[in-house]
Amino acid sequence: MTETVFARHEHPNPTSAAERAAILAEPGFGKDFTDHMVSIDFTADPDHPDGGLWHDARVEPYGPISLSPAASVLHYGQEIFEGLKAYRHADGSIWAFRPEANAARLNRSADRLALPVLPERLFLDAIGQLVRADRDWVPGGEGEALYLRPFMYASEAFLGVRAANEVAFKVIASPAGNYFGGELKPVTIWVSRDYARAGVGGTGAAKCGGNYAASLKAQQQAAAHGANQVLFLDPAHENAVEELGGMNVFFVFADGRLVTPQLTGTILEGVTRSSILQLGRDMGLTVEQRRITLDEWASGVRSGEITEVFACGTAAVVTPIGRLLDGDEVIESAGGTETTLALRERLLGIQTGAVEDEHGWMHRLV
Ligand SMILES: *Cc1c(COP(=O)(O)O)cnc(C)c1O
């Protein structure tokens, strides 16, 4: 495939160095955005072997997008997204963590939501173009990175119910600090008994906005009970543990096993999840992907068989899970954090360039 040429429209009035420095001094999460974004448009063409053409690739000023009120994404939710980070290394170079995995997952999500395939090359070029344009926005402090948010949506103005013939792909970027703020303290989790985020045959394995819309009510319940996050269960399989609203879950056993729920089609396959499975193997842990129920969690913590529980995802990396609130019942924290922190250190070390990248996960952007 020939390389796509991105048109470049520089921001006429970019953020001043002083303002940017103030933002980078305390990045937070997802509240400030860089000066540019990348856009690529798709138009379906039944005569084209790929079903249509991606065109008008461009780097342009970050800003509001113009959309018809009839755009089908606003009515039927045909939308998917990705999340990955770019890290500044000590020598000033900038690297993305496993972006090929995000490109592949975007296309699995696209397939489920009847959106067009975006060639991997175009995905990698898009993030490379944006990070090069806004390289000064990549923070270099501990635990900091530039969070990249690629997304794709049905832009066609049409109220009939079918896959849209006009689609937009964009990438925006936001400097990110520690997701849960401050030091790494265990998060309290609320068990969702009233709501599910996914069902058999649904979109649970796709990274689509609709899954998040379905999780917000449960998240509100969690907050009302003083919890940080929601745990979703599969009631059809003896309350098998699925995942949190936006993070996968792991268990560390006293005998050296590292267990995470198997992918069933209702769980999102995290890039962090698959990386932790590999790092666990590297550390000599026995890795298992299998069904694990809420009962096993509770009894394992009680007996001491389960020593640590943690959540993982791009935004929060690896975070220890503390107490679990299940209605009026409380499952106490497993207590330990040794393996959790070792995995976190290893992963962050690779991402920030402090630990050798044995698996070739890092992709240089600048
Ligand atoms: C994005 C996401 C994750 C974590 O995936 P990573 O690739 O590790 O960031 C987990 N669960 C859900 C529902 C998600 O949307």
Side-chain angles (χ1 to χ4, degrees), residues 22-156:
I23 291 168
L24 293 184
E26 233 176 291
F29 186 84
K31 56 184 178 55
D32 299 293
F33 298 90
T34 65
D35 289 319
H36 295 90
M37 61 185 183
V38 161
S39 297
I40 316 176
D41 298 320
F42 179 87
T43 304
D45 174 0
D47 296 330
H48 194 279
D50 299 330
L53 208 62
W54 288 100
H55 57 90
D56 290 296
R58 58 203 185 271
V59 179
E60 59 187 351
Y62 176 91
I65 52 186
S66 163
L67 205 56
S68 163
S72 69
V73 64
L74 300 176
H75 304 273
Y76 309 126
Q78 199 188 2
E79 188 267 355
I80 57 175
F81 66 96
E82 272 302 322
L84 70 163
K85 282 176 173 172
Y87 301 84
R88 182 180 294 283
H89 287 187
D91 65 357
S93 58
I94 300 171
W95 303 70
F97 180 70
R98 305 189 71 181
E100 301 87 357
N102 296 91
R105 186 173 63 191
L106 180 83
N107 281 329
R108 292 198 298 276
S109 300
D111 182 64
R112 180 63 187 85
L113 274 284
L115 285 161
V117 165
L118 181 79
E120 177 183 288
R121 185 71 251 153
L122 213 42
F123 181 93
L124 297 177
D125 282 352
I127 63 168
Q129 290 282 340
L130 181 58
V131 171
R132 279 191 288 280
D134 288 335
R135 65 182 73 190
D136 294 342
W137 284 87
V138 183
E142 185 161 348
E144 296 177 351
L146 186 66
Y147 182 80
L148 302 172
R149 168 55 61 88
F151 59 110
M152 190 193 293
Y153 58 91
S155 53
E156 186 183 5

Side-chain angles (χ1 to χ4, degrees), residues 144-364:
E144 296 177 351
L146 186 66
Y147 182 80
L148 302 172
R149 168 55 61 88
F151 59 110
M152 190 193 293
Y153 58 91
S155 53
E156 186 183 5
F158 179 66
L159 292 185
V161 180
R162 58 151 170 77
N165 288 326
E166 286 166 30
V167 169
F169 172 77
K170 295 187 189 290
V171 188
I172 57 175
S174 174
N178 189 326
Y179 189 74
F180 288 114
E183 89 274 34
L184 193 68
K185 47 178 197 295
V187 291
T188 299
I189 304 291
W190 169 256
V191 179
S192 180
R193 294 283 188 170
D194 296 337
Y195 305 106
R197 64 174 281 283
V200 176
T203 55
K207 208 167 176 73
C208 62
N211 291 344
Y212 279 74
S215 76
L216 297 177
K217 185 84 180 172
Q219 184 65 39
Q220 285 179 339
Q221 278 189 338
H225 289 86
N228 313 77
Q229 282 279 323
V230 179
L231 174 73
F232 290 102
L233 301 174
D234 175 3
H237 292 99
E238 301 165 64
N239 289 326
V241 172
E242 296 235 288
E243 61 171 316
L244 307 186
M247 280 185 280
N248 297 114
V249 180
F250 276 86
F251 301 85
V252 180
F253 283 67
D255 62 5
R257 278 176 297 152
L258 179 67
V259 178
T260 194
Q262 75 211 55
L263 301 173
T264 54
T266 51
I267 293 177
L268 198 285
E269 184 175 2
V271 177
T272 317
R273 175 186 180 280
S274 78
S275 308
I276 294 280
L277 287 171
Q278 182 60 52
L279 295 179
R281 277 182 218 111
D282 294 350
M283 284 167 56
L285 299 168
T286 305
V287 165
E288 292 178 2
Q289 302 178 63
R290 62 163 168 91
R291 182 180 298 163
I292 177 161
T293 65
L294 191 62
D295 282 349
E296 184 178 355
W297 182 337
S299 65
V301 168
R302 234 180 286 120
S303 70
E305 218 191 335
I306 294 176
T307 51
E308 305 176 34
V309 187
F310 66 86
C312 71
T314 296
V317 196
V318 170
T319 301
I321 291 180
R323 302 158 73 211
L324 201 58
L325 310 180
D326 184 11
D328 295 333
E329 279 182 54
V330 178
I331 298 174
E332 283 303 334
S333 169
T337 53
E338 193 184 337
T339 304
T340 304
L341 295 183
L343 285 163
R344 183 184 159 91
E345 286 291 295
R346 190 93 148 223
L347 182 58
L348 276 173
I350 293 169
Q351 291 169 336
T352 58
V355 170
E356 195 195 330
D357 176 23
E358 276 175 32
H359 299 289
W361 284 339
M362 302 308 290
H363 176 104
R364 186 163 183 175

